[in-house]
Amino acid sequence: MESIEARDQLFLAERAAAAPYVQYPPTPWWYAPVIGAWTAAFIGCFTWWRENGALFAASLAILLSAEVLFLVWMRRRHGALPMPGHGKPPVEIAAVWRGYFAGLVVIAALVAPAWWFVGVPAAAAVAFVLVTAGLVVYERKYAVAAGRVRDRLA
C-alpha cells in the first residue's frame, strides 16, 4: 500500500513541477513578427555605428527599453513561466529548448555573412525573416511538446 502511495506522490510532484511549462496562455499572433522586427531594428541601428554616435546610442536605448517593457509584460501574462534556459523543464520541453538554442546559432551563422558581405540592411532583413520563422517553428514545437507532457501526466 505504501509503495502505491509513494508512486502517486511522485507522480503528483512531477505534475506540479511540469505545470509552469505546460499551462500558459496562447501566444498572440503578432509575437513572432514583432520579435523579428525588433531584432531587425536592433541590427539596423548599427547603420549609425560610425555615422552618428548619439543616434546609435539613442536607438539602442529605445530598443533595450522596449525589450524590458516586453519582458515585464510577458512575466505578468505568463506568470512564473521560465524562459528557455531557466529551470528544469520536462524532457519533452528540454528537447525543444535545445532546438531553440541550436536555431539561435544557425540564425547568427546566417546573419553574420549577410552583414559582412552585403551590409547592415541585408543582415536586418535576413534576421527579420529567420527570427520570425524560427519563432513560429519554436512555438509550434513547444505546443506539441507541452501537449505530450500533459498527455503523459494526465
PDB file of all heavy atoms in Angstrom, residues 11 19-20 22 33 43 46 50 60 63 70 86 96 100 108 110-111 115 130 142 150 153:
ATOM      1  N   PHE A  11       4.270  11.040  -8.747  1.00  0.00           N
ATOM      2  CA  PHE A  11       3.537  11.458  -9.941  1.00  0.00           C
ATOM      3  C   PHE A  11       2.951  12.856  -9.751  1.00  0.00           C
ATOM      4  O   PHE A  11       3.067  13.714 -10.633  1.00  0.00           O
ATOM      5  CB  PHE A  11       2.429  10.442 -10.245  1.00  0.00           C
ATOM      6  CG  PHE A  11       1.614  10.786 -11.448  1.00  0.00           C
ATOM      7  CD1 PHE A  11       2.134  10.638 -12.719  1.00  0.00           C
ATOM      8  CD2 PHE A  11       0.318  11.263 -11.303  1.00  0.00           C
ATOM      9  CE1 PHE A  11       1.385  10.949 -13.831  1.00  0.00           C
ATOM     10  CE2 PHE A  11      -0.442  11.585 -12.416  1.00  0.00           C
ATOM     11  CZ  PHE A  11       0.091  11.428 -13.685  1.00  0.00           C
ATOM     12  N   ALA A  19       3.793  21.844 -14.413  1.00  0.00           N
ATOM     13  CA  ALA A  19       2.682  22.784 -14.643  1.00  0.00           C
ATOM     14  C   ALA A  19       3.112  24.135 -15.219  1.00  0.00           C
ATOM     15  O   ALA A  19       2.497  24.605 -16.183  1.00  0.00           O
ATOM     16  CB  ALA A  19       1.885  22.974 -13.361  1.00  0.00           C
ATOM     17  N   PRO A  20       4.152  24.794 -14.713  1.00  0.00           N
ATOM     18  CA  PRO A  20       4.512  26.092 -15.292  1.00  0.00           C
ATOM     19  C   PRO A  20       4.938  26.013 -16.759  1.00  0.00           C
ATOM     20  O   PRO A  20       4.868  27.004 -17.473  1.00  0.00           O
ATOM     21  CB  PRO A  20       5.685  26.574 -14.440  1.00  0.00           C
ATOM     22  CG  PRO A  20       5.687  25.734 -13.226  1.00  0.00           C
ATOM     23  CD  PRO A  20       4.995  24.464 -13.576  1.00  0.00           C
ATOM     24  N   VAL A  22       3.581  23.875 -19.031  1.00  0.00           N
ATOM     25  CA  VAL A  22       2.522  23.409 -19.933  1.00  0.00           C
ATOM     26  C   VAL A  22       1.196  24.150 -19.766  1.00  0.00           C
ATOM     27  O   VAL A  22       0.293  23.963 -20.569  1.00  0.00           O
ATOM     28  CB  VAL A  22       2.294  21.885 -19.776  1.00  0.00           C
ATOM     29  CG1 VAL A  22       3.541  21.120 -20.161  1.00  0.00           C
ATOM     30  CG2 VAL A  22       1.834  21.521 -18.387  1.00  0.00           C
ATOM     31  N   PRO A  33       6.345  38.082 -35.477  1.00  0.00           N
ATOM     32  CA  PRO A  33       6.789  39.199 -36.324  1.00  0.00           C
ATOM     33  C   PRO A  33       7.309  40.398 -35.531  1.00  0.00           C
ATOM     34  O   PRO A  33       8.217  41.096 -35.996  1.00  0.00           O
ATOM     35  CB  PRO A  33       5.560  39.572 -37.147  1.00  0.00           C
ATOM     36  CG  PRO A  33       4.447  38.743 -36.676  1.00  0.00           C
ATOM     37  CD  PRO A  33       4.965  37.720 -35.722  1.00  0.00           C
ATOM     38  N   ILE A  43      19.648  45.250 -35.266  1.00  0.00           N
ATOM     39  CA  ILE A  43      20.755  45.152 -36.223  1.00  0.00           C
ATOM     40  C   ILE A  43      20.815  46.411 -37.071  1.00  0.00           C
ATOM     41  O   ILE A  43      21.894  46.962 -37.327  1.00  0.00           O
ATOM     42  CB  ILE A  43      20.599  43.892 -37.091  1.00  0.00           C
ATOM     43  CG1 ILE A  43      20.824  42.649 -36.229  1.00  0.00           C
ATOM     44  CG2 ILE A  43      21.576  43.915 -38.271  1.00  0.00           C
ATOM     45  CD1 ILE A  43      20.460  41.346 -36.894  1.00  0.00           C
ATOM     46  N   PHE A  46      22.773  49.614 -36.228  1.00  0.00           N
ATOM     47  CA  PHE A  46      24.224  49.638 -36.424  1.00  0.00           C
ATOM     48  C   PHE A  46      24.618  50.396 -37.685  1.00  0.00           C
ATOM     49  O   PHE A  46      25.793  50.656 -37.906  1.00  0.00           O
ATOM     50  CB  PHE A  46      24.796  48.218 -36.424  1.00  0.00           C
ATOM     51  CG  PHE A  46      25.009  47.688 -35.035  1.00  0.00           C
ATOM     52  CD1 PHE A  46      23.976  47.055 -34.362  1.00  0.00           C
ATOM     53  CD2 PHE A  46      26.219  47.862 -34.394  1.00  0.00           C
ATOM     54  CE1 PHE A  46      24.155  46.579 -33.073  1.00  0.00           C
ATOM     55  CE2 PHE A  46      26.408  47.398 -33.100  1.00  0.00           C
ATOM     56  CZ  PHE A  46      25.365  46.753 -32.437  1.00  0.00           C
ATOM     57  N   ARG A  50      29.042  54.191 -37.012  1.00  0.00           N
ATOM     58  CA  ARG A  50      30.170  55.090 -37.301  1.00  0.00           C
ATOM     59  C   ARG A  50      29.713  56.450 -37.807  1.00  0.00           C
ATOM     60  O   ARG A  50      30.511  57.363 -37.917  1.00  0.00           O
ATOM     61  CB  ARG A  50      31.087  54.435 -38.325  1.00  0.00           C
ATOM     62  CG  ARG A  50      31.794  53.230 -37.745  1.00  0.00           C
ATOM     63  CD  ARG A  50      32.977  52.824 -38.587  1.00  0.00           C
ATOM     64  NE  ARG A  50      33.749  51.838 -37.868  1.00  0.00           N
ATOM     65  CZ  ARG A  50      33.757  50.553 -38.131  1.00  0.00           C
ATOM     66  NH1 ARG A  50      33.038  50.094 -39.124  1.00  0.00           N
ATOM     67  NH2 ARG A  50      34.497  49.727 -37.432  1.00  0.00           N
ATOM     68  N   LEU A  60      19.619  52.376 -29.624  1.00  0.00           N
ATOM     69  CA  LEU A  60      19.851  51.215 -28.762  1.00  0.00           C
ATOM     70  C   LEU A  60      19.094  51.349 -27.450  1.00  0.00           C
ATOM     71  O   LEU A  60      18.485  50.380 -26.977  1.00  0.00           O
ATOM     72  CB  LEU A  60      21.342  51.051 -28.476  1.00  0.00           C
ATOM     73  CG  LEU A  60      22.172  50.314 -29.504  1.00  0.00           C
ATOM     74  CD1 LEU A  60      23.619  50.213 -29.032  1.00  0.00           C
ATOM     75  CD2 LEU A  60      21.623  48.945 -29.800  1.00  0.00           C
ATOM     76  N   LEU A  63      15.422  50.625 -28.072  1.00  0.00           N
ATOM     77  CA  LEU A  63      15.180  49.199 -28.301  1.00  0.00           C
ATOM     78  C   LEU A  63      15.343  48.380 -27.024  1.00  0.00           C
ATOM     79  O   LEU A  63      14.552  47.463 -26.764  1.00  0.00           O
ATOM     80  CB  LEU A  63      16.106  48.680 -29.392  1.00  0.00           C
ATOM     81  CG  LEU A  63      15.753  49.140 -30.796  1.00  0.00           C
ATOM     82  CD1 LEU A  63      16.883  48.812 -31.769  1.00  0.00           C
ATOM     83  CD2 LEU A  63      14.459  48.508 -31.258  1.00  0.00           C
ATOM     84  N   PHE A  70       8.644  44.690 -22.751  1.00  0.00           N
ATOM     85  CA  PHE A  70       8.083  43.458 -23.292  1.00  0.00           C
ATOM     86  C   PHE A  70       8.274  42.303 -22.316  1.00  0.00           C
ATOM     87  O   PHE A  70       7.353  41.512 -22.078  1.00  0.00           O
ATOM     88  CB  PHE A  70       8.720  43.141 -24.648  1.00  0.00           C
ATOM     89  CG  PHE A  70       8.211  41.873 -25.251  1.00  0.00           C
ATOM     90  CD1 PHE A  70       6.959  41.835 -25.846  1.00  0.00           C
ATOM     91  CD2 PHE A  70       8.972  40.720 -25.229  1.00  0.00           C
ATOM     92  CE1 PHE A  70       6.470  40.660 -26.404  1.00  0.00           C
ATOM     93  CE2 PHE A  70       8.504  39.550 -25.787  1.00  0.00           C
ATOM     94  CZ  PHE A  70       7.253  39.517 -26.376  1.00  0.00           C
ATOM     95  N   HIS A  86      16.129  28.454 -18.390  1.00  0.00           N
ATOM     96  CA  HIS A  86      15.936  28.630 -16.953  1.00  0.00           C
ATOM     97  C   HIS A  86      15.035  27.513 -16.418  1.00  0.00           C
ATOM     98  O   HIS A  86      14.052  27.157 -17.031  1.00  0.00           O
ATOM     99  CB  HIS A  86      15.300  29.981 -16.642  1.00  0.00           C
ATOM    100  CG  HIS A  86      16.148  31.134 -17.054  1.00  0.00           C
ATOM    101  ND1 HIS A  86      17.202  31.578 -16.302  1.00  0.00           N
ATOM    102  CD2 HIS A  86      16.121  31.910 -18.148  1.00  0.00           C
ATOM    103  CE1 HIS A  86      17.772  32.598 -16.921  1.00  0.00           C
ATOM    104  NE2 HIS A  86      17.134  32.810 -18.060  1.00  0.00           N
ATOM    105  N   VAL A  96      12.956  20.666 -26.956  1.00  0.00           N
ATOM    106  CA  VAL A  96      12.571  21.825 -27.765  1.00  0.00           C
ATOM    107  C   VAL A  96      13.488  23.001 -27.449  1.00  0.00           C
ATOM    108  O   VAL A  96      13.889  23.742 -28.352  1.00  0.00           O
ATOM    109  CB  VAL A  96      11.085  22.187 -27.538  1.00  0.00           C
ATOM    110  CG1 VAL A  96      10.706  23.457 -28.274  1.00  0.00           C
ATOM    111  CG2 VAL A  96      10.180  21.040 -27.971  1.00  0.00           C
ATOM    112  N   TYR A 100      15.842  25.271 -29.822  1.00  0.00           N
ATOM    113  CA  TYR A 100      15.769  26.735 -29.824  1.00  0.00           C
ATOM    114  C   TYR A 100      17.174  27.335 -29.820  1.00  0.00           C
ATOM    115  O   TYR A 100      17.491  28.209 -30.626  1.00  0.00           O
ATOM    116  CB  TYR A 100      14.985  27.188 -28.583  1.00  0.00           C
ATOM    117  CG  TYR A 100      14.942  28.666 -28.342  1.00  0.00           C
ATOM    118  CD1 TYR A 100      13.963  29.460 -28.945  1.00  0.00           C
ATOM    119  CD2 TYR A 100      15.846  29.288 -27.485  1.00  0.00           C
ATOM    120  CE1 TYR A 100      13.899  30.818 -28.712  1.00  0.00           C
ATOM    121  CE2 TYR A 100      15.792  30.643 -27.244  1.00  0.00           C
ATOM    122  CZ  TYR A 100      14.821  31.408 -27.856  1.00  0.00           C
ATOM    123  OH  TYR A 100      14.761  32.759 -27.615  1.00  0.00           O
ATOM    124  N   ALA A 108      22.460  33.203 -36.230  1.00  0.00           N
ATOM    125  CA  ALA A 108      23.659  34.053 -36.156  1.00  0.00           C
ATOM    126  C   ALA A 108      24.637  33.714 -37.273  1.00  0.00           C
ATOM    127  O   ALA A 108      25.238  34.615 -37.878  1.00  0.00           O
ATOM    128  CB  ALA A 108      24.326  33.899 -34.793  1.00  0.00           C
ATOM    129  N   LEU A 110      23.938  32.690 -40.188  1.00  0.00           N
ATOM    130  CA  LEU A 110      23.420  33.155 -41.474  1.00  0.00           C
ATOM    131  C   LEU A 110      23.353  34.685 -41.563  1.00  0.00           C
ATOM    132  O   LEU A 110      23.524  35.258 -42.638  1.00  0.00           O
ATOM    133  CB  LEU A 110      22.045  32.546 -41.738  1.00  0.00           C
ATOM    134  CG  LEU A 110      22.047  31.030 -41.943  1.00  0.00           C
ATOM    135  CD1 LEU A 110      20.628  30.493 -41.962  1.00  0.00           C
ATOM    136  CD2 LEU A 110      22.796  30.653 -43.199  1.00  0.00           C
ATOM    137  N   VAL A 111      23.111  35.333 -40.430  1.00  0.00           N
ATOM    138  CA  VAL A 111      23.029  36.796 -40.426  1.00  0.00           C
ATOM    139  C   VAL A 111      24.425  37.411 -40.554  1.00  0.00           C
ATOM    140  O   VAL A 111      24.606  38.407 -41.263  1.00  0.00           O
ATOM    141  CB  VAL A 111      22.319  37.308 -39.150  1.00  0.00           C
ATOM    142  CG1 VAL A 111      22.458  38.809 -38.998  1.00  0.00           C
ATOM    143  CG2 VAL A 111      20.837  36.913 -39.178  1.00  0.00           C
ATOM    144  N   TRP A 115      25.626  40.384 -43.132  1.00  0.00           N
ATOM    145  CA  TRP A 115      26.132  41.667 -42.636  1.00  0.00           C
ATOM    146  C   TRP A 115      27.501  41.951 -43.248  1.00  0.00           C
ATOM    147  O   TRP A 115      27.773  43.039 -43.742  1.00  0.00           O
ATOM    148  CB  TRP A 115      26.218  41.607 -41.123  1.00  0.00           C
ATOM    149  CG  TRP A 115      26.513  42.888 -40.414  1.00  0.00           C
ATOM    150  CD1 TRP A 115      27.235  43.951 -40.864  1.00  0.00           C
ATOM    151  CD2 TRP A 115      26.079  43.239 -39.111  1.00  0.00           C
ATOM    152  NE1 TRP A 115      27.303  44.937 -39.908  1.00  0.00           N
ATOM    153  CE2 TRP A 115      26.593  44.519 -38.818  1.00  0.00           C
ATOM    154  CE3 TRP A 115      25.338  42.593 -38.139  1.00  0.00           C
ATOM    155  CZ2 TRP A 115      26.364  45.158 -37.593  1.00  0.00           C
ATOM    156  CZ3 TRP A 115      25.114  43.229 -36.935  1.00  0.00           C
ATOM    157  CH2 TRP A 115      25.619  44.500 -36.673  1.00  0.00           C
ATOM    158  N   LEU A 130      14.425  35.165 -40.591  1.00  0.00           N
ATOM    159  CA  LEU A 130      14.832  33.962 -39.859  1.00  0.00           C
ATOM    160  C   LEU A 130      14.289  33.936 -38.430  1.00  0.00           C
ATOM    161  O   LEU A 130      13.853  32.887 -37.948  1.00  0.00           O
ATOM    162  CB  LEU A 130      16.348  33.835 -39.857  1.00  0.00           C
ATOM    163  CG  LEU A 130      16.993  33.559 -41.214  1.00  0.00           C
ATOM    164  CD1 LEU A 130      18.508  33.527 -41.083  1.00  0.00           C
ATOM    165  CD2 LEU A 130      16.473  32.276 -41.826  1.00  0.00           C
ATOM    166  N   TYR A 142       6.937  23.717 -29.377  1.00  0.00           N
ATOM    167  CA  TYR A 142       6.700  23.810 -27.931  1.00  0.00           C
ATOM    168  C   TYR A 142       5.286  23.359 -27.600  1.00  0.00           C
ATOM    169  O   TYR A 142       5.069  22.621 -26.637  1.00  0.00           O
ATOM    170  CB  TYR A 142       6.929  25.240 -27.442  1.00  0.00           C
ATOM    171  CG  TYR A 142       6.965  25.350 -25.934  1.00  0.00           C
ATOM    172  CD1 TYR A 142       8.169  25.422 -25.265  1.00  0.00           C
ATOM    173  CD2 TYR A 142       5.799  25.366 -25.176  1.00  0.00           C
ATOM    174  CE1 TYR A 142       8.221  25.516 -23.885  1.00  0.00           C
ATOM    175  CE2 TYR A 142       5.827  25.451 -23.803  1.00  0.00           C
ATOM    176  CZ  TYR A 142       7.043  25.528 -23.160  1.00  0.00           C
ATOM    177  OH  TYR A 142       7.083  25.595 -21.789  1.00  0.00           O
ATOM    178  N   ARG A 150       1.411  17.023 -21.065  1.00  0.00           N
ATOM    179  CA  ARG A 150       0.077  16.953 -20.463  1.00  0.00           C
ATOM    180  C   ARG A 150      -0.524  15.552 -20.601  1.00  0.00           C
ATOM    181  O   ARG A 150      -1.105  15.020 -19.650  1.00  0.00           O
ATOM    182  CB  ARG A 150      -0.853  17.993 -21.071  1.00  0.00           C
ATOM    183  CG  ARG A 150      -0.588  19.406 -20.596  1.00  0.00           C
ATOM    184  CD  ARG A 150      -1.673  20.378 -21.029  1.00  0.00           C
ATOM    185  NE  ARG A 150      -1.711  20.562 -22.468  1.00  0.00           N
ATOM    186  CZ  ARG A 150      -0.994  21.458 -23.141  1.00  0.00           C
ATOM    187  NH1 ARG A 150      -0.186  22.284 -22.485  1.00  0.00           N
ATOM    188  NH2 ARG A 150      -1.101  21.568 -24.456  1.00  0.00           N
ATOM    189  N   LEU A 153       1.191  13.090 -18.251  1.00  0.00           N
ATOM    190  CA  LEU A 153       0.910  13.324 -16.828  1.00  0.00           C
ATOM    191  C   LEU A 153      -0.578  13.391 -16.507  1.00  0.00           C
ATOM    192  O   LEU A 153      -0.946  13.752 -15.387  1.00  0.00           O
ATOM    193  CB  LEU A 153       1.618  14.600 -16.370  1.00  0.00           C
ATOM    194  CG  LEU A 153       3.147  14.557 -16.462  1.00  0.00           C
ATOM    195  CD1 LEU A 153       3.745  15.893 -16.071  1.00  0.00           C
ATOM    196  CD2 LEU A 153       3.713  13.430 -15.613  1.00  0.00           C
TER     197      LEU A 153
END
